Amino acid sequence: MVKTVIIEEAGGPEALRVVDRPVGDPGAGEVRITHKACGLNFIDVYQRSGLYPMTLPHALGMEAAGVIEAVGAGVTHLKVGDRAAYAATPPGAYAQARVMPAAQVCPLPDGISFEEAAAMMLKGLTVQYLFHRTTPLKVGDTVLFHAAAGGVGLIACQWARSEGITLIGTAGSDAKCAMALEHGAAHCINYKTEDFAARVRALTDGKGVDVVMDAVGADTFEGSLDSLKPLGMMISFGNASGPVPPFSVGILGQKGSLKITRPTLFTHIAEHETCQAMAAQLFGKVQSGAVKIRIDQRFALDDVAEAHRALEARKTTGSTILTP
């Protein structure tokens, strides 16, 4: 029996329950992993609240790191005793241990700690697909990245710097802007005191940016479109302020023949080989020192509701981990 966080109905942080559950043995194509650290992400909030509906009751959590304890038939890339980490479906990472599909579980290099891995798998793989799999980016391109001081944002700032891409960030305070600048953003705009779209135009000599990467959603959508240059790409990859409301596709033509996409990480990592290759690039960035994983909050698994409250109140910076 292991501690596992579940919800029985959608709701606020109070809907989270810590229960004891049996783990069992892995079947074909599965592994059993004992977690050393678990990651916290906004997708967990969306699932808990019902924005992303699930069949209930259901365990929560999408990323973790630990040690492989058992391997099912047909699994060849992992063995008992291996250090491993993942961002993967189905949810269930908020647990001391679990049985899960092996395809998206990745061998973890010795130079990366369990805490770092749990803090970076979902966020770092998200940055990988944003910069390498969504639209072509090259040295000298300019990107607007919202929530630049969050877990995904701080990785994105460093990733952009490592590849010669100019990243303009936004954040909700001067302190958060300073953090983004420390991590490689070329500029950072406090959206609470400035019109970010107007500032982006000023910073780009009126041209706008090549790409907007926006996980905030409703609050930033219109300003994001207004920040793009003609033929620019809008990547809407999250809903921290709520989902983007319906809009007329004609507005994309009016604003300069813009492109828009709404990707998810789990489409990109669905194939085993692709997932492992993406993780290898992420691990390489971290091992080289180009990307450092900042963990600013730690909560015990029993305090998961408090962790959710902090995340939703925008009181967190960098990454947050849960310790089983």
Side-chain angles (χ1 to χ4, degrees):
M1 304 291 283
V2 298
K3 281 185 184 179
T4 303
V5 178
I6 66 166
I7 56 167
E8 294 176 322
E9 58 184 21
E14 68 281 355
L16 297 162
R17 294 187 56 221
V18 182
V19 300
D20 288 325
R21 273 186 161 187
V23 184
D25 295 317
E30 294 181 328
V31 294
R32 184 172 70 237
I33 182 169
T34 296
H35 293 149
K36 302 296 185 181
C38 313
L40 178 74
N41 295 282
F42 251 104
I43 190 173
D44 309 342
V45 173
Y46 305 154
Q47 291 168 342
R48 188 210 71 218
S49 69
L51 180 63
Y52 292 179
M54 299 189 298
T55 301
L56 301 178
H58 209 297
L60 286 187
M62 305 298 290
E63 69 178 342
V67 177
I68 301 298
E69 299 291 346
V71 175
V75 176
T76 58
H77 70 291
L78 294 164
K79 64 182 185 303
V80 172
D82 279 354
R83 304 170 78 252
Y86 66 85
T89 56
Y94 290 0
Q96 291 174 317
R98 69 183 294 198
V99 169
M100 64 181 295
Q104 281 70 44
V105 181
C106 305
L108 180 64
D110 289 338
I112 300 174
S113 73
F114 291 121
E115 287 196 350
E116 287 173 319
M120 78 180 194
M121 289 301 290
L122 190 145
K123 302 167 192 69
L125 290 172
T126 295
V127 173
Q128 197 281 341
Y129 87 69
L130 289 173
F131 279 83
H132 291 277
R133 293 176 53 83
T134 310
T135 191
L137 282 167
K138 62 185 183 302
V139 173
D141 281 349
T142 301
V143 166
L144 173 64
F145 200 101
H146 293 296
V152 179
L154 291 182
I155 295 173
C157 289
Q158 297 172 82
W159 202 292
R161 179 173 59 188
S162 76
E163 301 198 345
I165 293 165
T166 299
L167 186 144
I168 301 171
T170 71
S173 71
D174 290 343
K176 287 186 175 184
C177 281
M179 192 177 297
L181 292 168
E182 254 176 59
H183 285 74
H187 310 278
C188 195
I189 304 162
N190 182 342
Y191 64 80
K192 291 190 174 176
T193 59
E194 287 191 84
D195 177 337
F196 73 81
R199 183 73 196 287
V200 165
R201 290 286 169 184
L203 289 169
T204 58
D205 297 324
K207 296 174 185 174
V209 298
D210 298 284
V211 178
V212 175
M213 300 177 179
D214 186 350
V216 174
D219 288 355
T220 50
F221 183 71
E222 287 189 22
S224 291
L225 294 183
D226 288 339
S227 299
L228 283 165
K229 64 172 55 172
L231 307 179
M233 167 66 85
M234 167 72 172
I235 306 173
S236 177
F237 70 101
N239 321 279
S241 67
V244 173
F247 68 96
S248 169
V249 72
I251 199 170
L252 301 177
Q254 295 165 19
K255 291 182 180 291
S257 300
L258 305 179
K259 302 180 283 288
I260 187 166
T261 184
R262 188 17 175 128
T264 70
L265 170 64
F266 301 105
T267 308
H268 283 279
I269 64 172
E271 297 295 329
H272 168 74
E273 293 81 4
T274 301
C275 177
Q276 299 295 322
M278 290 170 65
Q281 187 178 17
L282 171 61
F283 294 152
K285 290 278 188 186
V286 173
Q287 288 177 299
S288 73
V291 171
K292 292 181 171 61
I293 305 304
R294 180 170 176 144
I295 302 169
D296 286 345
Q297 299 79 214
R298 291 173 170 83
F299 294 87
L301 192 63
D302 287 334
D303 297 327
V304 63
E306 184 184 344
H308 272 234
R309 289 187 186 98
L311 183 64
E312 288 182 276
R314 312 261 181 107
K315 291 181 178 176
T316 63
T317 54
S319 295
T320 303
I321 61 165
L322 306 170
T323 52

